[in-house]
Amino acid sequence: MRSLSILGLLLISLNSHAAPLSPPAQRGEAFFHQRFAVNDKMPACTACHTDNPLKPGQHAITGKTIQPLAVSANGERFSDPAKVEKWFGRNCKEVVGRACTADEKADFVAYMREVR
Amino acid sequence: MQKILVWDWPVRVGHWLMAGAFCLAWLTADSESYRLVHVFAGAVVLGVASFRLPWGFIGTRYARFVEFVRGPLSVRDYLAGLLRLDPAHHVGHNPAGGWAIVLLLGLGIVTALAGWATYNEIGGHLLEELHEGLATTMLLVVIVHLAGVFSGSLLHGENLVRAMFTGKKQGHADEAIASARPLALVALLLWLAAAGWLVAS
Ligand code: HEM
Ligand code: HEM
């Protein structure tokens, strides 16, 4: 019985994760997890934002909490274009080592809007 | 006229710490890798400027605000002299420089406070923009300040930059300050350590 209910929970959780991501969002997901290793302290987006964009992150250098990037966890995300551009500008330069392309940014935003 | 001591230790060391920290804060401003360096540099600016305010009342003669904060007429006269390439010589700060100093100290304090609030996520987007705007304004005043220092130096034939290191300018022996106030320098350094610690915690 017990193992059955665990199986049930597992199925439910698998199901909720299985909300299919659109192809742009999948590319955005891959980009989010990619290790660029340009910057020792911040080799990837996940260095500060953790592997799970639904969770709060922690600044790799100052230790400050960073609110989740996923829109489903933080409704304010991607609502202010100037702020979005500012942070892409700063963090692409330091983490990716160059400016991000328009496609990369669009994919990233798609992932953050869809993931739940 | 001879070389006499006019700038005490807190004025000189405070000046160069503030100048260095301002440049460092500016250079590290838009980097997350250097965010902590930026925060500490900003704390040094805040520490020096907030020490300088009381020192402007209880410090040595030429460090006092009453000695160099002058009305608009004196500023106009000094600037007119500068334009005639014959500015009046002042043992302490000249009247135009005096206002640059007040502005730099004030901007140093409010810029750093706005930065500190942003760092601690108080005040939101507005303070973030304010921090950046104030920092830019301060950079402009620094540029005017440098232009004033170099034009003043050339026209007086007196190296004001060196004077900010040695503390010595041209004047009469009876116009000199009596002591360079080393103990007050220790107080300044302790205050900076406290400010750094406060900002870090
Ligand atoms: C390398 C750059 C700089 C040089 C060469 C320089 C040089 C000088 C000199 C020569 C004076 C004395 C002026 C006079 O005799 O009337 C002075 C005063 C002053 N400067 Fe600068 N300065 C520099 C950068 C800065 C910066 C970046 C700041 C502020 C962020 C600053 C703030 C001040 C203040 C507050 C005073 C008055 C000092 C006092 O009475 O305590 N300076 N500077
Ligand atoms: C007077 C000294 C300071 C100067 C000249 C200065 C200058 C600047 C400038 C120009 C920026 C904008 C960077 C950009 O977006 O391109 C900035 C950002 C920032 N500063 Fe300062 N700053 C100073 C002091 C401080 C202090 C004391 C702190 C914190 C304790 C601080 C924390 C920050 C933070 C957290 C940001 C990023 C804000 C954001 O998210 O956009 N700053 N600073």
Side-chain angles (χ1 to χ4, degrees), chain B residues 7 10-12 15-16 18-20 22-23 45 52 62-63 68 92-94 97 100-101 104-105 138 142 145-146 149-150 153 160-162 164 169:
Chain B
W7 308 127
V11 164
R12 283 181 271 158
H15 178 268
W16 293 117
M18 185 169 178
F22 176 81
C23 297
V45 173
R52 187 65 180 84
Y62 303 102
F68 64 81
H93 297 297
N94 68 63
I101 292 161
L104 287 169
L105 294 177
M138 195 167 161
V142 166
H145 169 64
L146 291 179
V149 168
F150 289 114
S153 296
L160 294 173
V161 178
R162 192 173 58 209
M164 218 359 107
K169 287 181 75 178

Side-chain angles (χ1 to χ4, degrees), chain A residues 57-88:
Chain A
Q58 196 187 27
H59 196 295
I61 287 143
T62 66
K64 294 241 165 219
T65 304
I66 301 171
Q67 295 311 310
L69 281 181
V71 176
S72 66
N74 178 1
E76 282 179 29
R77 286 299 183 199
F78 306 101
S79 59
D80 174 355
K83 181 173 177 186
V84 175
E85 276 308 319
K86 174 172 114 180
W87 285 103
F88 270 133

Side-chain angles (χ1 to χ4, degrees), chain B residues 109-199:
Chain B
I109 290 173
V110 289
T111 306
L113 284 179
W116 180 84
T118 302
Y119 186 56
N120 291 291
E121 278 154 75
I122 310 164
H125 193 58
L126 197 72
L127 271 191
E128 204 175 292
E129 294 292 318
L130 190 68
H131 179 57
E132 215 175 312
L134 287 169
T136 310
T137 312
M138 195 167 161
L139 181 67
L140 293 179
V141 181
V142 166
I143 291 169
V144 172
H145 169 64
L146 291 179
V149 168
F150 289 114
S151 59
S153 296
L154 282 177
L155 294 173
H156 291 306
E158 178 171 35
N159 186 335
L160 294 173
V161 178
R162 192 173 58 209
M164 218 359 107
F165 282 102
T166 62
K168 297 204 167 113
K169 287 181 75 178
Q170 292 290 335
H172 294 289
D174 61 350
E175 292 172 314
I177 59 173
S179 156
R181 306 299 288 275
L183 275 181
L185 175 61
V186 176
L188 168 64
L189 296 177
L190 287 176
W191 173 242
L192 288 180
W197 180 79
L198 257 167
V199 166

Side-chain angles (χ1 to χ4, degrees), chain A residues 6-72:
Chain A
I6 287 180
L7 191 70
L9 278 176
L10 194 69
L11 275 176
I12 292 168
S13 71
L14 271 180
N15 191 40
S16 64
H17 273 236
L21 292 173
S22 66
Q26 285 174 16
R27 290 194 299 269
E29 182 177 28
F31 184 86
F32 180 69
H33 290 284
Q34 190 175 334
R35 265 184 73 89
F36 300 96
V38 171
N39 186 316
D40 289 347
K41 290 176 242 156
M42 315 187 294
C45 306
T46 55
C48 289
H49 296 290
T50 79
D51 277 333
N52 183 353
L54 296 160
K55 296 253 168 67
Q58 196 187 27
H59 196 295
I61 287 143
T62 66
K64 294 241 165 219
T65 304
I66 301 171
Q67 295 311 310
L69 281 181
V71 176
S72 66

